[in-house]
Amino acid sequence: MSEKKCSAWGEELGIDGGSVREIVEALEEVITGTLYGDLDRNGTVKLLPKKASKELKILLANSIADFLPSWRESCVNNIVSPPKLLDFDWRVDIASSSNVLSRMLVPSVLVEMTLQDEATHHREMAGTRNVQFELSKEALGTLVKSLGKIRDQLANIS
């Protein structure tokens, strides 16, 4: 929190900016503890400083409990996740010319994937990027076996 905000809030509340900062930091700890500790109102009250009045503790616990569902939803929506696959294209390629004879007529698979990255800022569109790679016949076989194992594991779960 900026010094300017702390001073402005301090003037409104009749306290110094350092005290405002301490209060805000304590509230952040209580809210984070309640949010990630899955606490109810009584659990939230226990996180509040001992020297706070009972009425203030109840008021804060009720306010936090009222906002908790929207804060949880916001946390879930802002989870960092891997890129999302938007498009997938492939083709088999056979080298018809090369300066090395052993590379002639060797098949390979060229794969292109379009991925959507997560947005890094609020109200920002997520960017897309293309990833291209080439697989030999052996590497493709390994990939297909691994994907088959993943498919089998997922089938056993459901």
Side-chain angles (χ1 to χ4, degrees):
M1 173 180 263
S2 71
E3 285 298 320
K4 188 176 179 180
K5 276 188 182 178
C6 284
S7 297
W9 287 10
E11 287 178 27
E12 286 289 322
L13 297 171
I15 57 176
D16 65 288
S19 296
V20 170
R21 184 176 300 283
E22 286 178 31
I23 292 169
V24 169
E25 288 172 359
L27 280 174
E28 283 179 3
E29 286 181 31
V30 170
I31 291 169
T32 302
T34 303
L35 185 62
Y36 296 108
D38 200 29
L39 301 176
D40 60 0
R41 292 174 203 268
N42 293 331
T44 302
V45 168
K46 291 177 184 173
L47 291 176
L48 291 165
K50 305 282 186 235
K51 61 184 176 182
S53 71
K54 183 179 178 181
E55 294 81 17
L56 179 61
K57 287 181 181 182
I58 292 171
L59 176 67
L60 288 172
N62 287 337
S63 295
I64 291 170
D66 290 342
F67 284 102
L68 206 53
S70 64
W71 291 339
R72 282 199 174 120
E73 182 180 336
S74 179
C75 287
V76 168
N77 291 338
N78 291 321
I79 290 176
V80 176
S81 64
K84 179 181 175 183
L85 180 64
L86 296 178
D87 192 25
F88 179 85
D89 194 21
W90 62 275
R91 74 170 197 251
V92 175
D93 192 32
I94 299 178
S96 60
S97 65
S98 175
N99 58 355
V100 179
L101 187 59
S102 63
R103 290 188 186 168
M104 290 289 294
L105 303 175
V106 175
S108 62
V109 176
L110 298 172
V111 179
E112 181 176 356
M113 298 185 300
T114 303
L115 305 175
Q116 181 180 30
D117 293 319
E118 286 293 312
T120 55
H121 294 85
H122 181 65
R123 295 187 179 183
E124 179 181 273
M125 291 293 293
T128 60
R129 61 186 162 112
N130 289 334
V131 176
Q132 300 172 343
F133 56 94
E134 182 176 357
L135 295 170
S136 67
K137 186 176 180 180
E138 295 79 19
L140 179 62
T142 303
L143 177 64
V144 169
K145 280 183 193 175
S146 297
L147 290 173
K149 289 178 184 178
I150 293 170
R151 180 199 58 222
D152 295 343
Q153 288 178 1
L154 290 174
N156 288 335
I157 291 172
S158 25

mmCIF file of all heavy atoms in Angstrom, residues 10-31:
data_model
loop_
_atom_site.group_PDB
_atom_site.id
_atom_site.type_symbol
_atom_site.label_atom_id
_atom_site.label_comp_id
_atom_site.label_asym_id
_atom_site.label_seq_id
_atom_site.Cartn_x
_atom_site.Cartn_y
_atom_site.Cartn_z
ATOM 1 N N GLY A 10 -5.108 7.418 7.257
ATOM 2 C CA GLY A 10 -4.761 7.796 8.625
ATOM 3 C C GLY A 10 -5.437 9.084 9.047
ATOM 4 O O GLY A 10 -5.934 9.206 10.169
ATOM 5 N N GLU A 11 -5.459 10.069 8.143
ATOM 6 C CA GLU A 11 -6.130 11.339 8.432
ATOM 7 C C GLU A 11 -7.624 11.125 8.659
ATOM 8 O O GLU A 11 -8.215 11.713 9.562
ATOM 9 C CB GLU A 11 -5.901 12.324 7.293
ATOM 10 C CG GLU A 11 -4.504 12.887 7.243
ATOM 11 C CD GLU A 11 -4.304 13.842 6.063
ATOM 12 O OE1 GLU A 11 -5.302 14.450 5.608
ATOM 13 O OE2 GLU A 11 -3.154 13.954 5.611
ATOM 14 N N GLU A 12 -8.234 10.287 7.808
ATOM 15 C CA GLU A 12 -9.672 10.011 7.942
ATOM 16 C C GLU A 12 -9.993 9.320 9.267
ATOM 17 O O GLU A 12 -11.011 9.597 9.884
ATOM 18 C CB GLU A 12 -10.164 9.130 6.790
ATOM 19 C CG GLU A 12 -10.295 9.843 5.475
ATOM 20 C CD GLU A 12 -11.461 10.808 5.451
ATOM 21 O OE1 GLU A 12 -12.533 10.509 6.024
ATOM 22 O OE2 GLU A 12 -11.290 11.892 4.874
ATOM 23 N N LEU A 13 -9.084 8.408 9.690
ATOM 24 C CA LEU A 13 -9.330 7.634 10.910
ATOM 25 C C LEU A 13 -8.749 8.281 12.164
ATOM 26 O O LEU A 13 -8.998 7.814 13.268
ATOM 27 C CB LEU A 13 -8.741 6.223 10.755
ATOM 28 C CG LEU A 13 -9.352 5.361 9.645
ATOM 29 C CD1 LEU A 13 -8.540 4.095 9.451
ATOM 30 C CD2 LEU A 13 -10.799 5.021 9.985
ATOM 31 N N GLY A 14 -7.946 9.321 11.964
ATOM 32 C CA GLY A 14 -7.331 10.002 13.096
ATOM 33 C C GLY A 14 -6.154 9.242 13.698
ATOM 34 O O GLY A 14 -5.906 9.328 14.897
ATOM 35 N N ILE A 15 -5.460 8.458 12.860
ATOM 36 C CA ILE A 15 -4.272 7.722 13.314
ATOM 37 C C ILE A 15 -3.136 7.952 12.328
ATOM 38 O O ILE A 15 -3.353 8.477 11.229
ATOM 39 C CB ILE A 15 -4.559 6.204 13.464
ATOM 40 C CG1 ILE A 15 -5.073 5.605 12.143
ATOM 41 C CG2 ILE A 15 -5.550 5.933 14.580
ATOM 42 C CD1 ILE A 15 -5.288 4.103 12.196
ATOM 43 N N ASP A 16 -1.933 7.537 12.700
ATOM 44 C CA ASP A 16 -0.791 7.766 11.799
ATOM 45 C C ASP A 16 -0.751 6.697 10.701
ATOM 46 O O ASP A 16 -1.362 5.637 10.814
ATOM 47 C CB ASP A 16 0.523 7.775 12.606
ATOM 48 C CG ASP A 16 0.821 6.439 13.235
ATOM 49 O OD1 ASP A 16 0.128 6.065 14.201
ATOM 50 O OD2 ASP A 16 1.756 5.778 12.757
ATOM 51 N N GLY A 17 -0.005 7.001 9.633
ATOM 52 C CA GLY A 17 0.090 6.110 8.469
ATOM 53 C C GLY A 17 0.689 4.757 8.803
ATOM 54 O O GLY A 17 0.314 3.738 8.209
ATOM 55 N N GLY A 18 1.640 4.694 9.750
ATOM 56 C CA GLY A 18 2.235 3.416 10.146
ATOM 57 C C GLY A 18 1.208 2.474 10.756
ATOM 58 O O GLY A 18 1.232 1.265 10.517
ATOM 59 N N SER A 19 0.324 3.033 11.558
ATOM 60 C CA SER A 19 -0.738 2.220 12.166
ATOM 61 C C SER A 19 -1.690 1.698 11.097
ATOM 62 O O SER A 19 -2.158 0.552 11.176
ATOM 63 C CB SER A 19 -1.523 3.035 13.191
ATOM 64 O OG SER A 19 -0.697 3.414 14.263
ATOM 65 N N VAL A 20 -1.971 2.525 10.093
ATOM 66 C CA VAL A 20 -2.841 2.088 8.994
ATOM 67 C C VAL A 20 -2.200 0.907 8.285
ATOM 68 O O VAL A 20 -2.860 -0.101 8.000
ATOM 69 C CB VAL A 20 -3.116 3.250 8.005
ATOM 70 C CG1 VAL A 20 -3.809 2.733 6.755
ATOM 71 C CG2 VAL A 20 -3.940 4.329 8.669
ATOM 72 N N ARG A 21 -0.910 1.004 8.020
ATOM 73 C CA ARG A 21 -0.195 -0.072 7.344
ATOM 74 C C ARG A 21 -0.269 -1.369 8.170
ATOM 75 O O ARG A 21 -0.496 -2.447 7.642
ATOM 76 C CB ARG A 21 1.256 0.305 7.088
ATOM 77 C CG ARG A 21 2.019 -0.748 6.292
ATOM 78 C CD ARG A 21 3.424 -0.322 5.948
ATOM 79 N NE ARG A 21 3.495 0.888 5.148
ATOM 80 C CZ ARG A 21 3.240 0.949 3.836
ATOM 81 N NH1 ARG A 21 2.878 -0.138 3.192
ATOM 82 N NH2 ARG A 21 3.359 2.090 3.197
ATOM 83 N N GLU A 22 -0.069 -1.268 9.488
ATOM 84 C CA GLU A 22 -0.148 -2.438 10.361
ATOM 85 C C GLU A 22 -1.533 -3.069 10.312
ATOM 86 O O GLU A 22 -1.668 -4.297 10.266
ATOM 87 C CB GLU A 22 0.182 -2.052 11.807
ATOM 88 C CG GLU A 22 1.646 -1.779 12.059
ATOM 89 C CD GLU A 22 1.902 -1.343 13.502
ATOM 90 O OE1 GLU A 22 1.142 -1.797 14.396
ATOM 91 O OE2 GLU A 22 2.840 -0.572 13.705
ATOM 92 N N ILE A 23 -2.570 -2.240 10.314
ATOM 93 C CA ILE A 23 -3.945 -2.741 10.273
ATOM 94 C C ILE A 23 -4.207 -3.478 8.959
ATOM 95 O O ILE A 23 -4.775 -4.571 8.943
ATOM 96 C CB ILE A 23 -4.956 -1.584 10.475
ATOM 97 C CG1 ILE A 23 -4.856 -1.049 11.906
ATOM 98 C CG2 ILE A 23 -6.377 -2.037 10.151
ATOM 99 C CD1 ILE A 23 -5.599 0.251 12.135
ATOM 100 N N VAL A 24 -3.771 -2.862 7.859
ATOM 101 C CA VAL A 24 -3.991 -3.472 6.543
ATOM 102 C C VAL A 24 -3.250 -4.800 6.441
ATOM 103 O O VAL A 24 -3.792 -5.804 5.947
ATOM 104 C CB VAL A 24 -3.581 -2.498 5.412
ATOM 105 C CG1 VAL A 24 -3.556 -3.209 4.069
ATOM 106 C CG2 VAL A 24 -4.527 -1.316 5.376
ATOM 107 N N GLU A 25 -1.995 -4.845 6.913
ATOM 108 C CA GLU A 25 -1.231 -6.094 6.871
ATOM 109 C C GLU A 25 -1.876 -7.172 7.729
ATOM 110 O O GLU A 25 -1.932 -8.341 7.338
ATOM 111 C CB GLU A 25 0.209 -5.846 7.303
ATOM 112 C CG GLU A 25 1.018 -5.072 6.268
ATOM 113 C CD GLU A 25 2.395 -4.640 6.756
ATOM 114 O OE1 GLU A 25 2.750 -4.911 7.930
ATOM 115 O OE2 GLU A 25 3.126 -4.029 5.958
ATOM 116 N N ALA A 26 -2.392 -6.796 8.908
ATOM 117 C CA ALA A 26 -3.066 -7.763 9.770
ATOM 118 C C ALA A 26 -4.336 -8.290 9.102
ATOM 119 O O ALA A 26 -4.629 -9.495 9.155
ATOM 120 C CB ALA A 26 -3.397 -7.124 11.118
ATOM 121 N N LEU A 27 -5.084 -7.398 8.452
ATOM 122 C CA LEU A 27 -6.297 -7.835 7.753
ATOM 123 C C LEU A 27 -5.963 -8.752 6.577
ATOM 124 O O LEU A 27 -6.694 -9.716 6.312
ATOM 125 C CB LEU A 27 -7.101 -6.628 7.266
ATOM 126 C CG LEU A 27 -7.962 -5.947 8.323
ATOM 127 C CD1 LEU A 27 -8.591 -4.671 7.764
ATOM 128 C CD2 LEU A 27 -9.035 -6.877 8.836
ATOM 129 N N GLU A 28 -4.873 -8.465 5.873
ATOM 130 C CA GLU A 28 -4.446 -9.346 4.779
ATOM 131 C C GLU A 28 -4.154 -10.749 5.301
ATOM 132 O O GLU A 28 -4.552 -11.746 4.688
ATOM 133 C CB GLU A 28 -3.208 -8.786 4.082
ATOM 134 C CG GLU A 28 -3.485 -7.647 3.136
ATOM 135 C CD GLU A 28 -2.211 -7.104 2.482
ATOM 136 O OE1 GLU A 28 -1.106 -7.651 2.720
ATOM 137 O OE2 GLU A 28 -2.323 -6.128 1.726
ATOM 138 N N GLU A 29 -3.483 -10.828 6.448
ATOM 139 C CA GLU A 29 -3.181 -12.139 7.043
ATOM 140 C C GLU A 29 -4.460 -12.868 7.438
ATOM 141 O O GLU A 29 -4.592 -14.074 7.214
ATOM 142 C CB GLU A 29 -2.279 -11.968 8.264
ATOM 143 C CG GLU A 29 -0.848 -11.618 7.933
ATOM 144 C CD GLU A 29 0.016 -11.476 9.180
ATOM 145 O OE1 GLU A 29 -0.255 -12.172 10.176
ATOM 146 O OE2 GLU A 29 0.970 -10.686 9.132
ATOM 147 N N VAL A 30 -5.405 -12.152 8.026
ATOM 148 C CA VAL A 30 -6.661 -12.765 8.458
ATOM 149 C C VAL A 30 -7.456 -13.243 7.244
ATOM 150 O O VAL A 30 -7.974 -14.370 7.227
ATOM 151 C CB VAL A 30 -7.493 -11.782 9.310
ATOM 152 C CG1 VAL A 30 -8.894 -12.316 9.564
ATOM 153 C CG2 VAL A 30 -6.785 -11.499 10.627
ATOM 154 N N ILE A 31 -7.548 -12.408 6.219
ATOM 155 C CA ILE A 31 -8.311 -12.776 5.016
ATOM 156 C C ILE A 31 -7.654 -13.962 4.324
ATOM 157 O O ILE A 31 -8.326 -14.918 3.930
ATOM 158 C CB ILE A 31 -8.453 -11.569 4.070
ATOM 159 C CG1 ILE A 31 -9.382 -10.520 4.702
ATOM 160 C CG2 ILE A 31 -8.978 -12.007 2.707
ATOM 161 C CD1 ILE A 31 -9.387 -9.187 3.989
#
